[in-house]
Amino acid sequence: RIAANKVMCNKAGKDFFHMRIRVHPYHVLRINKMLTCAGADRLQTGMRGAFGKPYSTAARVDIGTVLISIRTYDKYAKVAETALSNAKFKFPGRQKIHHYTL
């Protein structure tokens, strides 16, 4: 988001585009911390009650889901493509950029 917004603001101007993040991190990742010190076997219960504490959040995304969309004028289409290509390196996996006009 920050990488794409910076390119669009610098090259096109902040009044000439609309960027939307289409997915949000609602899925809560949890961790079951285990002790590794001496005598830890008397303190912890192993996998009994191993629901875990909240660790982070993530977005669950299917293949083909749109992550970021940018609406802009035709003269800034190349700038938007550059902004999205910079932003796609911030995501794990392989991302595609689709360009279409209305």
Side-chain angles (χ1 to χ4, degrees):
R1 174 184 66 88
I2 294 171
N5 191 46
K6 187 169 192 165
V7 171
M8 288 301 291
C9 283
N10 288 342
K11 301 274 174 75
K14 67 181 181 113
D15 296 328
F16 297 104
F17 71 97
H18 177 262
M19 184 171 68
R20 176 169 286 172
I21 307 298
R22 304 287 286 271
V23 293
H24 298 286
Y26 291 129
H27 184 73
V28 178
L29 303 176
R30 298 183 173 273
I31 186 168
N32 182 26
K33 284 193 176 176
M34 299 291 225
L35 299 172
T36 58
C37 58
D41 52 343
R42 290 182 285 117
L43 300 174
Q44 64 190 14
T45 58
M47 291 303 288
R48 181 188 300 156
F51 186 62
K53 293 190 168 113
Y55 178 65
S56 180
T57 56
R60 298 190 71 168
V61 179
D62 294 325
I63 293 174
T65 304
V66 177
L67 301 178
I68 301 175
S69 61
I70 297 178
R71 291 186 311 166
T72 186
Y73 296 112
D74 288 336
K75 62 182 178 180
Y76 297 124
K78 266 303 203 211
V79 176
E81 200 169 317
T82 305
L84 289 175
S85 68
N86 286 354
K88 77 179 184 179
F89 293 114
K90 307 296 183 185
F91 293 103
R94 185 173 58 102
Q95 315 302 329
K96 289 183 184 176
I97 297 173
H98 294 287
H99 174 261
Y100 59 92
T101 57
L102 298 176

